[in-house]
Amino acid sequence: MSQGCRIAVFASGNGSNFQALLEASREGRLGGGEIVLLVCDKPNAFVVERARQAGVETYLFRPKEYARREDYEAEIAARLTELEIDLVALAGYMRLLTPVLVSPYAGRMLNIHPSLLPAFPGTDAIGQAWNYGVKITGVTVHLVDEGMDTGTIVAQEAVTVEPGEDVDSLTARIHQVEQRLYPQVVKQFAEGRVRVNGRKVELG
Ligand code: GAR
């Protein structure tokens, strides 16, 4: 993957991580990685507007129009193949994946999650951690499998909950860490500097 790594980002919402990856790519901070496709399941999501403004091709689909997840995933997989995608980065894509997409991209599909996994998987991880009252939370980048945020952990960064801060402040600080950490990890993948051995990952 060291020469011109072609990346597809999957997102469902605001797209701040998509934007961070895009800017890193344009500024040469993705180690030759290039964002060539956005895949989105929510036609009204703001990330679609971000992609339009940036001139990035967008693959939009409506899951309700398909009988099974495997059906829309097969169409997405075909587009990824046509575009010769090397690496998939999930960035707020709020759907579980089946082997139709996971298998061909085993070891080449990343997700970012706003907690220190395996704590607080699933939706609203920041709110879950906040309500639990943890003193330390953070961000995880992991490989994707069929489970809910269960794949092999690639990178983590801790965020300490400051005394007296509210959940909005914590959320903003976690997002800042995400937008810095994800491009760094994607760069390492794009440069082929990641060795995966079961649940153990070595970077560098
Ligand atoms: C991010 O905080 C990301 O970690 C989270 O969704 C948010 C998307 O924000 N993903 C998950 O919770 C995955 N389980 P964004 O659309 O602004 O990038």
Side-chain angles (χ1 to χ4, degrees):
M1 262 191 261
S2 53
Q3 289 298 316
C5 177
R6 293 169 63 78
I7 301 168
V9 177
F10 286 35
S12 304
N14 173 36
S16 64
N17 284 288
F18 168 77
Q19 190 79 42
L21 290 169
L22 194 62
E23 284 169 15
S25 159
R26 303 232 155 133
E27 292 163 12
R29 290 186 283 110
L30 277 192
E34 186 193 356
I35 310 298
V36 297
L37 182 70
L38 169 71
V39 174
C40 181
D41 58 329
K42 297 255 169 56
N44 295 324
F46 186 57
V47 69
V48 175
E49 175 59 18
R50 291 186 194 264
R52 194 190 63 73
Q53 284 183 16
V56 173
E57 177 179 330
T58 301
Y59 181 98
L60 275 176
F61 68 102
R62 292 177 177 76
K64 282 184 186 147
E65 294 176 358
Y66 297 81
R68 303 179 317 146
R69 269 190 296 167
E70 287 82 353
D71 298 337
Y72 63 72
E73 288 194 359
E75 292 184 5
I76 296 169
R79 189 70 190 127
L80 298 183
T81 302
E82 281 166 10
L83 290 174
E84 300 181 332
I85 297 298
D86 299 303
L87 180 69
V88 172
L90 308 188
Y93 179 70
M94 301 312 241
R95 298 192 165 271
L96 289 175
L97 300 180
T98 78
V100 170
L101 275 173
V102 171
S103 298
Y105 285 93
R108 301 189 292 150
M109 183 183 278
L110 295 167
N111 182 40
I112 188 156
H113 184 76
S115 74
L116 291 179
L117 289 170
F120 311 117
T123 57
D124 191 25
I126 301 173
Q128 290 184 57
W130 173 263
N131 291 333
Y132 199 91
V134 300
K135 303 292 189 195
I136 298 174
T137 182
V139 174
T140 302
V141 178
H142 62 92
L143 291 168
V144 175
D145 62 16
E146 290 86 3
M148 174 91 78
D149 303 318
T150 49
T152 295
I153 290 171
V154 176
Q156 290 187 303
E157 187 167 321
V159 175
T160 301
V161 181
E162 300 294 344
E165 85 171 328
D166 61 19
V167 68
D168 291 340
S169 158
L170 178 64
T171 298
R173 291 195 302 117
I174 286 178
H175 286 165
Q176 279 176 8
V177 171
E178 289 191 320
Q179 289 156 30
R180 176 170 44 74
L181 184 64
Y182 211 10
Q184 288 172 359
V185 174
V186 168
K187 177 175 192 278
Q188 285 170 314
F189 269 81
E191 292 176 342
R193 292 195 284 117
V194 181
R195 285 171 307 286
V196 180
N197 183 8
R199 297 287 310 182
K200 308 288 183 217
V201 173
E202 276 182 50
L203 304 173

